[in-house]
PDB file of all heavy atoms in Angstrom:
ATOM      1  N   LEU A   1      -0.145  45.398  53.188  1.00 41.00           N
ATOM      2  CA  LEU A   1       1.071  44.950  52.550  1.00 41.00           C
ATOM      3  C   LEU A   1       2.184  44.752  53.566  1.00 41.00           C
ATOM      4  O   LEU A   1       3.032  43.887  53.373  1.00 41.00           O
ATOM      5  CB  LEU A   1       1.473  45.977  51.508  1.00 41.00           C
ATOM      6  CG  LEU A   1       2.001  45.416  50.220  1.00 41.00           C
ATOM      7  CD1 LEU A   1       0.934  44.642  49.487  1.00 41.00           C
ATOM      8  CD2 LEU A   1       2.554  46.482  49.368  1.00 41.00           C
ATOM      9  N   PHE A   2       2.181  45.540  54.620  1.00 38.00           N
ATOM     10  CA  PHE A   2       3.208  45.369  55.634  1.00 38.00           C
ATOM     11  C   PHE A   2       3.164  43.973  56.232  1.00 38.00           C
ATOM     12  O   PHE A   2       4.179  43.398  56.561  1.00 38.00           O
ATOM     13  CB  PHE A   2       3.058  46.405  56.760  1.00 38.00           C
ATOM     14  CG  PHE A   2       3.386  47.798  56.306  1.00 38.00           C
ATOM     15  CD1 PHE A   2       2.402  48.766  56.229  1.00 38.00           C
ATOM     16  CD2 PHE A   2       4.673  48.139  55.945  1.00 38.00           C
ATOM     17  CE1 PHE A   2       2.696  50.047  55.812  1.00 38.00           C
ATOM     18  CE2 PHE A   2       4.983  49.420  55.520  1.00 38.00           C
ATOM     19  CZ  PHE A   2       3.995  50.373  55.456  1.00 38.00           C
ATOM     20  N   ALA A   3       1.969  43.417  56.337  1.00 46.00           N
ATOM     21  CA  ALA A   3       1.815  42.077  56.887  1.00 46.00           C
ATOM     22  C   ALA A   3       2.444  41.022  55.977  1.00 46.00           C
ATOM     23  O   ALA A   3       2.776  39.938  56.407  1.00 46.00           O
ATOM     24  CB  ALA A   3       0.337  41.751  57.090  1.00 46.00           C
ATOM     25  N   LEU A   4       2.634  41.366  54.708  1.00 45.00           N
ATOM     26  CA  LEU A   4       3.228  40.428  53.767  1.00 45.00           C
ATOM     27  C   LEU A   4       4.751  40.470  53.819  1.00 45.00           C
ATOM     28  O   LEU A   4       5.417  39.721  53.118  1.00 45.00           O
ATOM     29  CB  LEU A   4       2.767  40.734  52.339  1.00 45.00           C
ATOM     30  CG  LEU A   4       1.268  40.636  52.100  1.00 45.00           C
ATOM     31  CD1 LEU A   4       0.949  41.053  50.675  1.00 45.00           C
ATOM     32  CD2 LEU A   4       0.775  39.237  52.365  1.00 45.00           C
ATOM     33  N   GLY A   5       5.310  41.375  54.608  1.00 42.00           N
ATOM     34  CA  GLY A   5       6.749  41.430  54.734  1.00 42.00           C
ATOM     35  C   GLY A   5       7.381  42.406  53.753  1.00 42.00           C
ATOM     36  O   GLY A   5       8.583  42.428  53.574  1.00 42.00           O
ATOM     37  N   ALA A   6       6.590  43.232  53.113  1.00 44.00           N
ATOM     38  CA  ALA A   6       7.126  44.217  52.182  1.00 44.00           C
ATOM     39  C   ALA A   6       6.382  45.519  52.402  1.00 44.00           C
ATOM     40  O   ALA A   6       5.227  45.524  52.774  1.00 44.00           O
ATOM     41  CB  ALA A   6       6.936  43.743  50.751  1.00 44.00           C
ATOM     42  N   ASP A   7       7.080  46.634  52.159  1.00 46.00           N
ATOM     43  CA  ASP A   7       6.414  47.901  52.380  1.00 46.00           C
ATOM     44  C   ASP A   7       5.904  48.532  51.088  1.00 46.00           C
ATOM     45  O   ASP A   7       5.247  49.542  51.109  1.00 46.00           O
ATOM     46  CB  ASP A   7       7.300  48.871  53.158  1.00 46.00           C
ATOM     47  CG  ASP A   7       8.595  49.177  52.433  1.00 46.00           C
ATOM     48  OD1 ASP A   7       8.801  48.673  51.316  1.00 46.00           O
ATOM     49  OD2 ASP A   7       9.401  49.936  52.992  1.00 46.00           O
ATOM     50  N   ASP A   8       6.191  47.932  49.962  1.00 60.00           N
ATOM     51  CA  ASP A   8       5.577  48.373  48.721  1.00 60.00           C
ATOM     52  C   ASP A   8       5.565  47.231  47.717  1.00 60.00           C
ATOM     53  O   ASP A   8       6.159  46.183  47.928  1.00 60.00           O
ATOM     54  CB  ASP A   8       6.263  49.623  48.156  1.00 60.00           C
ATOM     55  CG  ASP A   8       7.698  49.377  47.706  1.00 60.00           C
ATOM     56  OD1 ASP A   8       8.122  48.206  47.612  1.00 60.00           O
ATOM     57  OD2 ASP A   8       8.397  50.369  47.429  1.00 60.00           O
ATOM     58  N   ASP A   9       4.849  47.454  46.622  1.00 61.00           N
ATOM     59  CA  ASP A   9       4.683  46.395  45.628  1.00 61.00           C
ATOM     60  C   ASP A   9       6.012  45.964  45.025  1.00 61.00           C
ATOM     61  O   ASP A   9       6.225  44.788  44.769  1.00 61.00           O
ATOM     62  CB  ASP A   9       3.739  46.868  44.515  1.00 61.00           C
ATOM     63  CG  ASP A   9       2.334  47.139  45.011  1.00 61.00           C
ATOM     64  OD1 ASP A   9       2.041  46.793  46.178  1.00 61.00           O
ATOM     65  OD2 ASP A   9       1.541  47.705  44.252  1.00 61.00           O
ATOM     66  N   GLY A  10       6.909  46.929  44.785  1.00 68.00           N
ATOM     67  CA  GLY A  10       8.210  46.604  44.203  1.00 68.00           C
ATOM     68  C   GLY A  10       9.017  45.675  45.088  1.00 68.00           C
ATOM     69  O   GLY A  10       9.674  44.754  44.609  1.00 68.00           O
ATOM     70  N   GLU A  11       8.954  45.931  46.394  1.00 85.00           N
ATOM     71  CA  GLU A  11       9.661  45.062  47.336  1.00 85.00           C
ATOM     72  C   GLU A  11       9.045  43.668  47.365  1.00 85.00           C
ATOM     73  O   GLU A  11       9.757  42.670  47.463  1.00 85.00           O
ATOM     74  CB  GLU A  11       9.632  45.685  48.736  1.00 85.00           C
ATOM     75  CG  GLU A  11      11.000  45.694  49.394  1.00 85.00           C
ATOM     76  CD  GLU A  11      10.932  46.336  50.754  1.00 85.00           C
ATOM     77  OE1 GLU A  11      11.040  47.568  50.826  1.00 85.00           O
ATOM     78  OE2 GLU A  11      10.783  45.582  51.733  1.00 85.00           O
ATOM     79  N   LEU A  12       7.739  43.605  47.263  1.00 83.00           N
ATOM     80  CA  LEU A  12       7.055  42.322  47.225  1.00 83.00           C
ATOM     81  C   LEU A  12       7.511  41.515  46.018  1.00 83.00           C
ATOM     82  O   LEU A  12       7.801  40.319  46.123  1.00 83.00           O
ATOM     83  CB  LEU A  12       5.535  42.527  47.184  1.00 83.00           C
ATOM     84  CG  LEU A  12       4.678  41.268  47.120  1.00 83.00           C
ATOM     85  CD1 LEU A  12       4.797  40.482  48.420  1.00 83.00           C
ATOM     86  CD2 LEU A  12       3.235  41.641  46.847  1.00 83.00           C
ATOM     87  N   ALA A  13       7.612  42.165  44.859  1.00 80.00           N
ATOM     88  CA  ALA A  13       8.067  41.493  43.641  1.00 80.00           C
ATOM     89  C   ALA A  13       9.513  41.032  43.780  1.00 80.00           C
ATOM     90  O   ALA A  13       9.857  39.920  43.372  1.00 80.00           O
ATOM     91  CB  ALA A  13       7.909  42.417  42.436  1.00 80.00           C
ATOM     92  N   MET A  14      10.363  41.871  44.373  1.00 85.00           N
ATOM     93  CA  MET A  14      11.773  41.490  44.547  1.00 85.00           C
ATOM     94  C   MET A  14      11.896  40.335  45.530  1.00 85.00           C
ATOM     95  O   MET A  14      12.699  39.414  45.316  1.00 85.00           O
ATOM     96  CB  MET A  14      12.607  42.694  45.001  1.00 85.00           C
ATOM     97  CG  MET A  14      12.833  43.671  43.876  1.00 85.00           C
ATOM     98  SD  MET A  14      13.852  45.133  44.234  1.00 85.00           S
ATOM     99  CE  MET A  14      14.430  44.955  45.875  1.00 85.00           C
ATOM    100  N   ASP A  15      11.132  40.352  46.604  1.00 88.00           N
ATOM    101  CA  ASP A  15      11.138  39.249  47.565  1.00 88.00           C
ATOM    102  C   ASP A  15      10.713  37.953  46.891  1.00 88.00           C
ATOM    103  O   ASP A  15      11.295  36.895  47.129  1.00 88.00           O
ATOM    104  CB  ASP A  15      10.211  39.537  48.750  1.00 88.00           C
ATOM    105  CG  ASP A  15      10.756  40.597  49.692  1.00 88.00           C
ATOM    106  OD1 ASP A  15      11.938  40.962  49.569  1.00 88.00           O
ATOM    107  OD2 ASP A  15       9.969  41.069  50.537  1.00 88.00           O
ATOM    108  N   HIS A  16       9.700  38.048  46.036  1.00 85.00           N
ATOM    109  CA  HIS A  16       9.234  36.859  45.314  1.00 85.00           C
ATOM    110  C   HIS A  16      10.317  36.343  44.376  1.00 85.00           C
ATOM    111  O   HIS A  16      10.537  35.139  44.282  1.00 85.00           O
ATOM    112  CB  HIS A  16       7.961  37.149  44.527  1.00 85.00           C
ATOM    113  CG  HIS A  16       7.543  36.008  43.660  1.00 85.00           C
ATOM    114  ND1 HIS A  16       7.083  34.819  44.183  1.00 85.00           N
ATOM    115  CD2 HIS A  16       7.566  35.851  42.314  1.00 85.00           C
ATOM    116  CE1 HIS A  16       6.824  33.983  43.180  1.00 85.00           C
ATOM    117  NE2 HIS A  16       7.108  34.592  42.046  1.00 85.00           N
ATOM    118  N   GLU A  17      10.980  37.256  43.704  1.00 88.00           N
ATOM    119  CA  GLU A  17      12.049  36.854  42.791  1.00 88.00           C
ATOM    120  C   GLU A  17      13.164  36.126  43.543  1.00 88.00           C
ATOM    121  O   GLU A  17      13.650  35.083  43.094  1.00 88.00           O
ATOM    122  CB  GLU A  17      12.606  38.090  42.080  1.00 88.00           C
ATOM    123  CG  GLU A  17      12.809  37.894  40.625  1.00 88.00           C
ATOM    124  CD  GLU A  17      13.179  39.193  39.918  1.00 88.00           C
ATOM    125  OE1 GLU A  17      13.386  40.243  40.566  1.00 88.00           O
ATOM    126  OE2 GLU A  17      13.272  39.127  38.704  1.00 88.00           O
ATOM    127  N   ASP A  18      13.544  36.661  44.695  1.00 91.00           N
ATOM    128  CA  ASP A  18      14.583  36.024  45.513  1.00 91.00           C
ATOM    129  C   ASP A  18      14.138  34.645  45.989  1.00 91.00           C
ATOM    130  O   ASP A  18      14.896  33.678  45.923  1.00 91.00           O
ATOM    131  CB  ASP A  18      14.933  36.898  46.724  1.00 91.00           C
ATOM    132  CG  ASP A  18      15.665  38.172  46.335  1.00 91.00           C
ATOM    133  OD1 ASP A  18      16.166  38.261  45.191  1.00 91.00           O
ATOM    134  OD2 ASP A  18      15.711  39.098  47.174  1.00 91.00           O
ATOM    135  N   GLU A  19      12.905  34.549  46.471  1.00 92.00           N
ATOM    136  CA  GLU A  19      12.374  33.268  46.948  1.00 92.00           C
ATOM    137  C   GLU A  19      12.301  32.262  45.807  1.00 92.00           C
ATOM    138  O   GLU A  19      12.659  31.099  45.970  1.00 92.00           O
ATOM    139  CB  GLU A  19      10.990  33.467  47.578  1.00 92.00           C
ATOM    140  CG  GLU A  19      10.394  32.215  48.170  1.00 92.00           C
ATOM    141  CD  GLU A  19      11.142  31.679  49.383  1.00 92.00           C
ATOM    142  OE1 GLU A  19      11.785  32.451  50.101  1.00 92.00           O
ATOM    143  OE2 GLU A  19      11.088  30.448  49.601  1.00 92.00           O
TER     144      GLU A  19
END
Side-chain angles (χ1 to χ4, degrees):
L1 220 65
F2 291 113
L4 299 176
D7 60 2
D8 66 12
D9 296 351
E11 228 179 274
L12 179 67
M14 286 182 4
D15 288 348
H16 174 68
E17 224 172 6
D18 290 344
E19 183 67 27

